[in-house]
Amino acid sequence: MTDILLSVLYPPRCPACRRLMENDGSLIHSECRGLFRLIREPRCLKCGRNVEAEDIAVCPECAKKKHRYDYGLAVMEYNSTARQAMTDYKFSGWRANADFFAEEAVNKFEEILKLYGPEALIPVPVTRRRLHERGFNQAELLAVKISERTGIPVDTALLFKRSGLNVQQKKLSARERKENARLAFTAAKSEYKKVCIVDDIYTTGSTLDACAGVLKQAGAEEVGFLVICAGSPY
C-alpha cells in the first residue's frame, strides 16, 4: 500500500531530465542516459575513482591515506546531473531514483561483487532525527534495491549512528570530517567475515573509513563499500 501511495504522490520521473516516464518499465529516457558519467576502467581499487593508467592501483589521494576499508566501488561521477538526481532522491521524495541507481550499480559491479563475496550489505545508518526529517534512510533503500537484484541480504542491525552527532559531513573540513565520523558510529558483534557497506556519495572517505573501522572491531575481516557517486575530495 505504501509503494502504491508513493507512486501516486511521486510518479516516476526521469532522473536526468525530470520529465515523467512512460509506463513501460524504463527507469530513464534513452536519450538522457549519457548525461550520467559512469566511472570507467582503470579505476582506483580503494575509492573507485578513475586513475590515469592501468598499472596504477590506487589514485594519488588514496596513496596518501591508510584506509580501513579493503576495496571501493563507485558507479558514477558526481557531476551536475548526478547531483540533481541525488538531491531529488534524498530531499524531494523521488524514491524511484533508487531503482535507477541500483540498476546501474548492479549492471556495473554484479560480477565484481560475486568475486569479493560479501555476506551482507550494510547501509550507512542515519540518526533518528535525520530519519524523521527525510522519512527514510537513502543508503538503506539503495541497499534494499541492490539486494533485490543480487540476492545479497541487507543487515540494518549491525551498524549504528550515535545520537547527538548531527553535524553534516559536507559542512566540515577534511580533518573535521575524519574526527566527526570517527566518533559517529558503533557496531554490534558481527557474525559476518565479509561485508560491503552501501552509501550514496563518496567524498573524502571519512564516513566509510569510520564505518569500516567499527565493523572490523566488531569481527568483520574484510570490509568494502559500494557507492553510487564519487565526488571530488577537495
Side-chain angles (χ1 to χ4, degrees):
M1 183 64 180
T2 301
D3 289 341
I4 296 174
L5 181 59
L6 286 172
S7 67
V8 173
L9 294 174
Y10 304 101
R13 293 178 177 272
C14 175
C17 72
R18 308 171 86 190
R19 291 181 287 123
L20 287 172
M21 295 295 300
E22 299 293 335
N23 189 24
D24 59 0
S26 304
L27 298 177
I28 186 173
H29 294 131
S30 58
E31 65 271 22
C32 294
R33 187 173 293 277
L35 296 174
F36 291 96
R37 296 189 60 180
L38 299 184
I39 294 174
R40 307 293 183 185
E41 302 290 344
R43 58 183 176 80
C44 174
L45 298 181
K46 278 292 186 178
C47 71
R49 297 187 183 99
N50 284 121
V51 292
E52 294 181 357
E54 292 183 359
D55 60 347
I56 300 176
V58 296
C59 68
E61 188 66 22
C62 288
K64 302 174 186 176
K65 302 177 180 179
K66 185 177 180 180
H67 290 299
R68 300 299 304 277
Y69 49 79
D70 298 289
Y71 63 87
L73 305 173
V75 180
M76 62 183 68
E77 297 177 13
Y78 196 42
N79 66 2
S80 59
T81 304
R83 183 179 295 107
Q84 183 61 65
M86 192 61 73
T87 298
D88 289 338
Y89 170 56
K90 293 169 64 173
F91 303 111
S92 299
W94 291 26
R95 299 191 196 186
N97 281 10
D99 287 296
F100 167 72
F101 291 140
E103 184 174 87
E104 293 299 309
V106 173
N107 286 343
K108 186 172 180 61
F109 292 126
E110 184 172 18
E111 294 305 314
I112 293 177
L113 283 173
K114 288 179 180 178
L115 291 175
Y116 281 121
E119 300 161 74
L121 302 175
I122 312 297
V124 173
V126 296
T127 61
R128 291 181 181 178
R129 176 182 174 183
R130 190 69 65 203
L131 186 63
H132 177 74
E133 289 174 350
R134 293 183 184 168
F136 73 114
N137 176 353
Q138 73 275 2
E140 182 177 338
L141 182 55
L142 288 169
V144 167
K145 297 297 184 180
I146 293 169
S147 175
E148 290 173 353
R149 291 163 168 80
T150 62
I152 305 171
V154 178
D155 193 325
T156 60
L158 186 59
L159 187 62
F160 303 94
K161 185 78 175 285
R162 298 181 191 271
S163 60
L165 293 167
N166 295 322
V167 179
Q168 293 186 39
Q169 290 284 82
K170 66 182 181 180
K171 296 180 179 180
L172 304 176
S173 68
R175 180 177 297 178
E176 290 170 334
R177 286 182 186 219
K178 184 175 182 179
E179 180 63 14
N180 184 65
R182 185 182 68 82
L183 300 172
F185 299 97
T186 185
K189 182 174 176 58
S190 175
E191 298 180 356
Y192 311 111
K193 296 304 179 184
K194 296 182 177 183
V195 297
C196 182
I197 304 167
V198 176
D199 204 5
D200 52 354
I201 304 167
Y202 179 103
T203 307
T204 65
S206 296
T207 294
L208 293 160
D209 261 328
C211 291
V214 297
L215 287 170
K216 287 189 172 182
Q217 290 173 0
E221 295 178 359
E222 182 177 274
V223 180
F225 73 78
L226 170 58
V227 296
I228 304 304
C229 299
S232 169
Y234 307 107

